[in-house]
Amino acid sequence: MISFDREQQIFHLQTEHSSYLIGIFAGKCLLHIHYGRRVEHCADMFAMMDKPAESRYDWNPKCMELGEQFALCEQTLELPTFGDGDYRSPGFHGEYADGSTVSKLYYTGHRIFAGKQALGELPSAYTEAGDQTVTLEITLADQLTGLRAYLYYTVYPAWDIITRSVRYENGGTAPILLKKVDSAVVDFDRMNFDFVHFYGTWARERQMERRPLFYGDQSVDSSRGASSHTQNPFVCLSAREATEDFGEVYGLNLIYSGNFHAGAYVDTFGKTRLYIGINSFDFSWKLDCGESFQTPEAILAYSHSGFAALSHRMHSFVHKRICRGQFRDIRRPVLINNWEATYFDFDEEKLVKLAEKAASVGVELMVLDDGWFGHRDDDRSSLGDWYEHRGRLPGGLEPLVERIHALGMKFGLWVEPEMISEDSELYRAHPDWCIHTAGRRCSEGRHQLVLDLSRPEVCDYLIEILSRLFSRVSVEYIKWDMNRNMTEVCSAALPPDRQREVAHRYMIGLYRVLGTLKQRFPHILMEGCAGGGGRFDLGMLCYFDQIWLSDDTDAVERQYIQTGSSYGYPFSVMGAHVSACPNHQTGRVTPFHTRGYAAMPGQFGYELDLDKLTEGELEEVRQQIRLYKELAPVFHDGTFYRICSPETDWKTVWEFVSPDRKTVVVEIFTVQAQAAAPMERFCLKGLQPDALYTDRLTGRQYWGDVLMHIGLMRARKQDYDGEMLILEQTAAGAKR
Ligand code: GLA
């Protein structure tokens, strides 16, 4: 709900547990008053100050339009700009035709409306009937330059989420160079927070780091042309003492898949500015007269009861208001992917043999990975040539697909459309279609170059070639890969003064390609991938039903990656597979059941040569698939709790509670065993205290309050061991 107090000149945005207050000072300047715990009453703009709006330091320049005593750098601001006395990292920075960089964006009007506006070419969170979403649009204008800013705030009351974005419009008479266009800035008048972010690299994505704020700027970013393995746009600001179940936590994410930055800037007065947006480094956008620029949408989530509640809000919001399409609410097929089973060494017979075995144990979808096209015998050629490799598939894809379908399985195909190999028909026909800088040799990543999706004709070509492929071959699933980051970023199609727009134009082009294909082929399940989790973000999740979380399939490392990812993202979007041992990435040997338990909460599948499994292991596969089919609704629609962390506890305990709280799945993994291992206690969460729960395997019964407040005990006896407890509510009185 959003209200405007005309007398006080204050906007009050309310979700179920949070309030966000903005004031209009002197009829002009937007001040940020509060974001945090919900209040019922409107505060006055300088509620707690003894001398409102009166500078306490001669040294701070005063903004004379706002008052002889008004220093911007002493205030908490809603859309901070640069040039008239605020020296913190601004939310907007632009350069005007006369070379000046001073912006004064003052309030000119607002409107409040039900629902939410579309974001033009960019993906955004959506609403459904009954959400009671309301949007506030505030208009600011700079009289001198004609620049206008439209600030959007959409309130999702039940989720405790507010989405924000800004649209800039050039209403002046000369072009304006946009240099920094953050999607959201939130000022706090304190710094006693921790900054939490998720760093990583290929095959080790989203490791959590939490550290106290220090004076100055602390930020994470990507300039790789993708949100990247190395940092994720999801960040948190938490109270220093916050735990899983206690304390204030703010979550911030961006619906964007390209270069971003997110950070906290602490100024000399101990005030914190939290910000997120397109990375301003190596970015600029020339905004011609009459044109608009829309920033990506930011998601702001708030919890006053720790990280668990924040994650729950993010999980259901991402699942239900970011992810979309016909697969959102249904169980996805269990798949087998041939990559780690065969790599490039396969032909039709080998694939059919793998599929036959897979079908016999209950797998539902056969995915043909890299190597089926052009003359791709290794990773040095053929990206761009999306027709069959006749050496491997002499009859093409159709006969193979028919044979897979005859087994009662669905068929899936790997593509990497954004890339081009120098050794390809496409490159020979269009050498200038790759991202490159004239006169400089292109750096290569995995021997490949990046197609220039900032060019509309390249996007049109991709839409056409892929539409033809998906229409000709009866595919029910696509794995959309992207295996290198951008370098030498320039486009042959843009003038010099627009070259710094290429990376963002690429994202707009990519979203158009994905959106068009999704619209034309809504029945195809799409899994995103970028060398594993190199583009695991909300932008991609507006198009992809799920994302291959990491190329690391090791059951132990996956506990870290999946735990880290779970802070901001639900298990329903994480592709997770059982693979062979010794594991291909780490060489580690883990029990087969542990691999099953580690992968099962995600979008489940197998990625190994089933022919190499023993009869006993094949039987385990059958059981795992049966169990997965039964428990998928608990994993994907239930509530997830991080009970023990692999990082700090040397064991991982994950708990999933079904929406009706009648089924509880607890997964316990030993990361590192200990000699003379003591019994370690852990308590479950989210149960009905006065309900009786029965352990399906042992028949032992426990009361909900006992499981939550006294807990279960286990010893860490065996490295990498895994255990799954299924607890089911028993009718009262059925206690033995
Ligand atoms: C990337 C993907 C893998 C696999 C290979 C194929 O690394 O993440 O899953 O598809 O490409 O080349």
Side-chain angles (χ1 to χ4, degrees), residues 45-107:
M45 208 169 311
F46 300 102
M48 272 56 73
M49 293 186 190
D50 51 352
K51 289 185 182 160
E54 191 169 311
S55 173
R56 283 160 300 286
Y57 312 92
D58 276 351
W59 185 250
N60 293 334
K62 315 296 177 296
C63 179
M64 301 307 278
E65 288 95 331
L66 299 172
E68 285 180 15
Q69 278 302 315
F70 195 81
L72 283 163
C73 67
E74 294 173 34
Q75 303 299 333
T76 48
L77 304 170
E78 200 54 34
L79 177 59
T81 54
F82 180 74
D84 54 355
D86 182 22
Y87 299 100
R88 291 164 285 184
S89 172
F92 172 81
H93 190 211
E95 190 178 318
Y96 303 96
D98 62 359
S100 70
T101 57
V102 183
S103 303
K104 291 181 185 254
L105 286 162
Y106 292 149
Y107 173 85

Side-chain angles (χ1 to χ4, degrees), residues 451-611:
L451 271 179
D452 182 358
L453 268 60
S454 74
R455 299 175 70 159
E457 69 273 29
V458 177
C459 297
D460 291 340
Y461 170 81
L462 282 186
I463 291 171
E464 262 341 286
I465 196 97
L466 293 170
S467 293
R468 259 185 270 151
L469 177 67
F470 299 166
S471 307
R472 175 171 66 85
V473 182
S474 169
V475 284
E476 282 118 341
Y477 161 105
I478 286 295
K479 177 174 170 188
W480 182 294
D481 211 341
M482 193 285 287
N483 274 309
R484 64 155 293 183
N485 291 139
M486 294 178 190
T487 52
E488 292 86 24
V489 181
C490 275
S491 170
L494 288 172
D497 60 352
R498 290 201 178 271
Q499 289 297 340
R500 303 298 23 97
E501 299 174 12
V502 173
H504 182 58
R505 284 182 183 272
Y506 178 101
M507 291 320 307
I508 292 173
L510 174 62
Y511 290 143
R512 178 165 72 86
V513 173
L514 289 171
T516 311
L517 292 172
K518 200 71 195 157
Q519 206 176 2
R520 286 190 189 170
F521 304 95
H523 63 281
I524 298 183
L525 175 69
M526 301 252 276
E527 178 152 352
C529 177
R535 215 166 45 185
F536 187 79
D537 58 64
L538 299 183
M540 286 292 114
L541 286 171
C542 290
Y543 305 94
F544 295 139
D545 304 288
Q546 54 201 56
I547 297 179
W548 179 228
L549 191 70
S550 174
D551 272 354
D552 189 344
T553 56
D554 175 79
V556 176
E557 300 235 297
R558 272 288 180 135
Q559 292 167 39
Y560 293 80
I561 299 168
Q562 292 174 191
T563 300
S565 303
S566 80
Y567 281 88
Y569 303 88
F571 273 87
S572 59
V573 303
M574 304 181 197
H577 302 166
V578 173
S579 64
C581 270
N583 177 268
H584 293 193
Q585 293 79 39
T586 60
R588 186 181 279 120
V589 176
T590 53
F592 200 83
H593 63 268
T594 298
R595 282 177 263 159
Y597 295 152
M600 221 177 267
Q603 293 298 344
F604 188 53
Y606 291 83
E607 188 153 344
L608 75 179
D609 186 353
L610 291 172
D611 253 347

Side-chain angles (χ1 to χ4, degrees), residues 4 6 9 11 22-30 104-111 136-142 149:
F4 180 57
R6 229 162 255 290
Q9 294 283 289
F11 298 100
I22 305 162
I24 310 168
F25 175 69
K28 289 191 173 79
C29 177
L30 286 192
K104 291 181 185 254
L105 286 162
Y106 292 149
Y107 173 85
T108 58
H110 74 268
R111 63 190 180 109
L136 165 66
E137 178 198 80
I138 306 179
T139 311
L140 310 176
D142 185 346

